Amino acid sequence: MSTNRTNKKPATLADVARKSGVAAMTVSRAINNSGYVSPEVRKRVMAAARALQYRPNMLARQLKGHSLKAIGILLPDIANPFSTELVSGIREVLVPHGYTTFIATTDRSSEEERAALQSFVDHRIDGVIVATRGTRFGTESLQSLAKQNIPTVVVGRDSGVARIDSVMADHYQGAFDAVTHLISIGHRRIGFIGIAHEDRTSLRRYAGYAAALKQAGIAEKKEYIAGPPDAPAFATQEDGFQAMMQLLDLPKPPTAIFARNDFAAIGALRAAHTRGCRVPQEIAIAGFDNIPLAAFTTPPLTTVEQPIHEQGAQAARLLLDRLAGTAGRARTVVMHCRLVPRESTLK
Amino acid sequence: MSTNRTNKKPATLADVARKSGVAAMTVSRAINNSGYVSPEVRKRVMAAARALQYRPNMLARQLKGHSLKAIGILLPDIANPFSTELVSGIREVLVPHGYTTFIATTDRSSEEERAALQSFVDHRIDGVIVATRGTRFGTESLQSLAKQNIPTVVVGRDSGVARIDSVMADHYQGAFDAVTHLISIGHRRIGFIGIAHEDRTSLRRYAGYAAALKQAGIAEKKEYIAGPPDAPAFATQEDGFQAMMQLLDLPKPPTAIFARNDFAAIGALRAAHTRGCRVPQEIAIAGFDNIPLAAFTTPPLTTVEQPIHEQGAQAARLLLDRLAGTAGRARTVVMHCRLVPRESTLK
DNA sequence: CTGTTAGCGCCTTCAT
DNA sequence: ATGAAGGCGCTAACAG
């Protein structure tokens, strides 16, 4: 009755050593396949370890200067389909190299971002991949990481910090292509949904929209821009709905809409249907991101696909370079976006 | 030039002690507000700590038997809106108690689940909340957690293991209500989409469907059940689309569909539109989960809402009990689901 | 091949 | 109010 299987404290190296009648060091060697251990002793040790349910204490290991082989991923939230694909791409590269990944989310709050990053550092992760939206606060956090020499890669925007790599998709080009597509099928009155007019310049997707109009000799119209006034960081289906309603109320509403993202586009779609406005016959709608549901809306949504999985994989590769100490100054990788035409903008 | 700001190794307690001319112990006391430290010394220590960018090494702390105040959350994937809400509910409770949360995902693979759980344990998290789908493998992992005395709470299903609490929503009741609703507006031929006929019994949502039919004196029909044959764990929009196509090919197709989740329902919606079949006039469709986009489909989708945020919060509270050692035998909390009628099943 | 010693960064305990 | 010693679990470096 003395050996209780459900013991409080996990077994240690010393416990295993005692049980198998060797020194702790020998157990360490056997467990880690380092140095010489006679086959016979190794077998005995392994048996004892299994019996005791021994698991090495990684944290103690870390104290001796060993890496935990863990990397942290900082995400704005996890609802976004973007996040899954990104994580999947990251893990595809990192896991074969023996790294574990931990995810922390920030609920889009700078304060939480700071705390999460700190928490990663406290837990001595080896590196960080940051995919939150850029804020001044966020940049400060990145600087702090850089100062602590923690390998970091930013996804989705420029890091704005020396020694921190970034991976992003060319949203400008994607938006340009989408709007050029709308123009090519005959539209001249094209609205932009998902950001307030006063915040528009911070958005590369807007810049692409504006450039496409300009190239076609179409003047930008302030009243064709609609979005949530105080939340420039994102746009939801509700935002898209409101914005579309607003545009449809105009005396001369647009005949085509480019939405900042698919969620906003889906909100716009709903607004159009609510007003009895047929898509694409009376109004064409295009989105951005190609979320999985975009192919299943009514009608299926024209959108722009960005290579999310590949961005994750690329970020992971850059991080591996940094971890190996191979990398020099900051690199920026920009990936191409692809227009996915569907029925919502059918000619 | 001797003090380089971007030093390799993080500052330690000893570094701060040296810089402020006191013993390491005093620094520890100052940093942790434990024991007596004169205000003057405290100020000096804090200044040195800041200058050195000192951060306590939590991992070393843990070695002395201290908790890291971190809990792990195991998710099947992170695309699901379910996941965000759940995490938000969990954090709402845990963060005020000083806990950090880390998320790991399993890509729906048992092997990854095992590895992720192991990784949590290796990093000495204080407790785990598991929200993956039940598999035999998964249950084994849970048993292993229980054996190691790691406080654990399961969300979304019965843990099947002693000393492990669970929180779930009453999917049976939710499905029952949804199907009863379909019957009440006159439907008798009601299909179920999202699972293959041979896997149906494992699904509480199916049981609720069957019970509602039975209560109304309607016989179950094998050919009205359609779903992916080899992936009973989930159903996507693609699965819903395929299944709906199949049902619409029947000589006498159903007049109403209850889909296992909103993704499948959205796939079904698309299939109906593709076939020129009007919803809800020719066929009614209901889903399950009330994902944010469900209110924005065409037509807006009738669905069943489960209190996800609250399930997360509840799970966190149960976990806190376990962490405090307050809790005794396993508890199971079941929450009510609510029917959300929208236009896709309008009379 | 195996054992001993020492120390990673921190905190508990016991002095001072 | 502060300091010194010792040890948490592990492994590098050096014996045997």
Side-chain angles (χ1 to χ4, degrees):
Chain A
M1 281 296 148
S2 59
T3 48
N4 186 350
R5 253 81 199 82
T6 43
N7 225 309
K8 257 107 210 286
K9 311 194 67 72
T12 73
L13 215 46
D15 295 330
V16 179
R18 209 170 306 122
K19 176 149 185 149
S20 44
V22 294
M25 196 55 232
T26 307
V27 178
S28 171
R29 282 194 269 254
I31 301 277
N32 299 302
N33 283 316
S34 61
Y36 298 101
V37 184
S38 75
E40 197 254 331
V41 169
R42 152 167 284 121
K43 232 171 76 178
R44 202 142 42 92
V45 168
M46 292 316 228
R50 206 161 323 114
L52 259 29
Q53 287 207 70
Y54 171 74
R55 278 254 105 201
N57 185 334
M58 315 289 274
L59 308 194
R61 240 179 224 177
Q62 174 283 154
L63 251 195
K64 295 280 327 180
H66 285 240
S67 151
L68 253 26
K69 302 272 291 182
I71 84 112
I73 305 175
L74 193 63
L75 260 26
D77 66 70
I78 53 180
N80 214 305
F82 185 92
S83 301
T84 332
E85 263 311 297
L86 187 73
V87 170
S88 143
I90 292 171
R91 287 176 54 84
E92 181 178 303
V93 172
L94 252 23
V95 169
H97 283 260
Y99 285 93
T100 309
T101 57
F102 291 115
I103 299 163
T105 56
T106 63
D107 293 340
R108 309 181 188 293
S109 127
S110 298
E111 194 36 64
E112 299 232 31
E113 175 161 353
R114 178 188 215 71
L117 237 27
Q118 194 55 261
S119 177
F120 278 147
V121 174
D122 286 349
H123 286 256
R124 297 294 192 271
I125 41 77
D126 299 296
V128 187
I129 294 179
V130 177
T132 52
R133 285 197 55 85
T135 59
R136 190 160 46 78
F137 226 36
T139 303
E140 281 170 26
S141 297
L142 290 183
Q143 260 152 356
S144 151
L145 286 177
K147 224 184 304 188
Q148 295 171 70
N149 264 28
I150 295 172
T152 306
V153 178
V154 172
V155 179
R157 59 182 161 110
D158 246 315
S159 75
V161 176
R163 315 202 43 188
I164 294 191
D165 303 317
S166 26
V167 179
M168 62 185 96
D170 195 344
H171 297 183
Y172 174 93
Q173 163 256 317
F176 183 92
D177 289 357
V179 175
T180 299
H181 159 72
L182 292 172
I183 294 167
S184 79
I185 58 176
H187 295 281
R188 304 284 296 177
R189 304 208 306 273
I190 303 174
F192 186 97
I193 272 183
I195 198 160
H197 184 260
E198 57 273 25
D199 297 319
R200 72 193 186 289
T201 52
S202 66
L203 208 61
R204 280 175 294 156
R205 294 177 188 191
Y206 183 87
Y209 158 87
L213 291 188
K214 185 166 186 191
Q215 173 173 298
I218 303 173
E220 279 182 62
K221 292 184 75 172
K222 182 170 191 283
E223 63 269 34
Y224 279 0
I225 318 303
D230 30 279
F234 194 70
T236 64
Q237 48 271 25
E238 280 81 10
D239 297 330
F241 184 86
Q242 296 300 340
M244 186 65 165
M245 283 304 205
Q246 188 181 322
L247 295 192
L248 288 176
D249 279 339
L250 292 173
K252 206 169 173 148
T255 63
I257 297 292
F258 175 55
R260 166 194 185 165
N261 63 36
D262 289 343
F263 291 107
I266 288 172
L269 220 45
R270 176 95 291 270
H273 286 140
T274 302
R275 283 293 176 82
C277 185
R278 282 149 42 98
V279 179
Q281 295 83 347
E282 298 170 50
I283 191 156
I285 298 180
F288 202 115
D289 285 338
N290 195 23
I291 65 174
L293 285 179
F296 288 85
T297 55
T298 305
L301 188 68
T302 291
T303 186
V304 178
E305 178 186 88
Q306 53 168 322
I308 300 176
H309 188 90
E310 188 46 41
Q311 283 181 77
Q314 183 61 255
R317 277 183 230 110
L318 291 176
L319 190 63
L320 283 177
D321 283 354
R322 291 252 164 241
L323 288 166
T326 320
R329 49 188 313 143
R331 293 160 296 175
T332 298
V333 178
V334 177
M335 294 186 173
H336 197 79
C337 291
R338 187 173 65 87
L339 181 70
V340 182
R342 294 203 185 95
E343 295 172 34
S344 71
T345 61
L346 218 52
K347 172 62 196 155
Chain B
M1 283 298 150
S2 60
T3 48
N4 187 349
R5 253 83 201 82
T6 43
N7 226 309
K8 258 106 211 284
K9 310 195 67 72
T12 74
L13 216 45
D15 296 330
V16 179
R18 209 170 306 121
K19 176 148 186 149
S20 44
V22 294
M25 198 52 236
T26 308
V27 177
S28 170
R29 281 195 268 256
I31 301 276
N32 300 303
N33 283 317
S34 61
Y36 298 101
V37 183
S38 74
E40 197 254 332
V41 169
R42 152 167 285 121
K43 231 170 78 179
R44 204 143 40 94
V45 168
M46 291 316 229
R50 206 160 322 114
L52 260 27
Q53 288 207 70
Y54 171 73
R55 278 254 105 200
N57 186 332
M58 316 290 274
L59 279 41
R61 231 176 233 178
Q62 171 288 150
L63 250 195
K64 296 282 324 180
H66 285 240
S67 150
L68 252 26
K69 302 272 292 180
I71 82 113
I73 304 175
L74 193 65
L75 261 25
D77 67 70
I78 55 181
N80 214 304
F82 185 93
S83 300
T84 332
E85 265 309 298
L86 187 73
V87 171
S88 145
I90 292 171
R91 286 176 55 83
E92 181 177 302
V93 172
L94 251 24
V95 169
H97 283 260
Y99 284 92
T100 309
T101 57
F102 290 115
I103 299 162
T105 56
T106 64
D107 292 339
R108 309 182 189 291
S109 127
S110 298
E111 195 35 64
E112 298 232 31
E113 175 160 353
R114 177 188 215 71
L117 238 26
Q118 194 56 262
S119 177
F120 278 146
V121 173
D122 286 348
H123 286 257
R124 297 294 193 269
I125 42 76
D126 298 296
V128 187
I129 294 179
V130 177
T132 52
R133 285 199 54 87
T135 60
R136 189 159 48 78
F137 227 36
T139 304
E140 280 168 27
S141 297
L142 290 182
Q143 261 151 356
S144 149
L145 286 178
K147 224 185 301 190
Q148 294 170 73
N149 263 29
I150 295 172
T152 306
V153 177
V154 173
V155 179
R157 59 180 161 111
D158 246 315
S159 75
V161 176
R163 314 203 43 188
I164 295 191
D165 303 316
S166 25
V167 178
M168 62 185 96
D170 195 343
H171 296 182
Y172 174 92
Q173 164 256 319
F176 183 92
D177 289 356
V179 175
T180 299
H181 160 72
L182 292 172
I183 294 168
S184 78
I185 57 176
H187 294 281
R188 306 282 297 176
R189 304 209 308 273
I190 303 174
F192 186 98
I193 271 182
I195 198 159
H197 185 261
E198 57 275 25
D199 296 319
R200 72 192 186 288
T201 52
S202 65
L203 208 61
R204 279 175 295 155
R205 294 176 188 191
Y206 184 88
Y209 159 85
L213 291 188
K214 185 166 185 191
Q215 173 174 299
I218 303 172
E220 280 182 62
K221 291 185 75 172
K222 181 170 191 284
E223 63 270 32
Y224 279 1
I225 318 302
D230 30 279
F234 194 70
T236 64
Q237 48 271 24
E238 279 81 9
D239 296 329
F241 183 87
Q242 296 301 341
M244 186 65 164
M245 284 305 204
Q246 189 180 322
L247 295 192
L248 288 176
D249 279 340
L250 291 173
K252 205 169 174 150
T255 63
I257 298 293
F258 175 57
R260 165 191 185 169
N261 63 37
D262 289 343
F263 292 107
I266 288 172
L269 220 45
R270 176 96 291 273
H273 288 139
T274 302
R275 284 293 175 84
C277 186
R278 283 149 39 99
V279 179
Q281 294 84 348
E282 297 171 52
I283 191 155
I285 298 181
F288 202 115
D289 285 337
N290 195 25
I291 65 174
L293 285 180
F296 289 84
T297 56
T298 304
L301 188 67
T302 293
T303 187
V304 177
E305 177 187 272
Q306 52 168 322
I308 300 176
H309 189 90
E310 188 47 40
Q311 283 180 77
Q314 184 62 254
R317 278 184 229 110
L318 291 176
L319 190 63
L320 283 177
D321 283 355
R322 291 253 164 240
L323 288 166
T326 319
R329 49 188 313 144
R331 292 160 297 175
T332 298
V333 177
V334 178
M335 294 185 175
H336 197 79
C337 291
R338 188 173 65 86
L339 181 69
V340 182
R342 295 203 185 96
E343 294 171 36
S344 71
T345 62
L346 218 52
K347 173 64 198 154

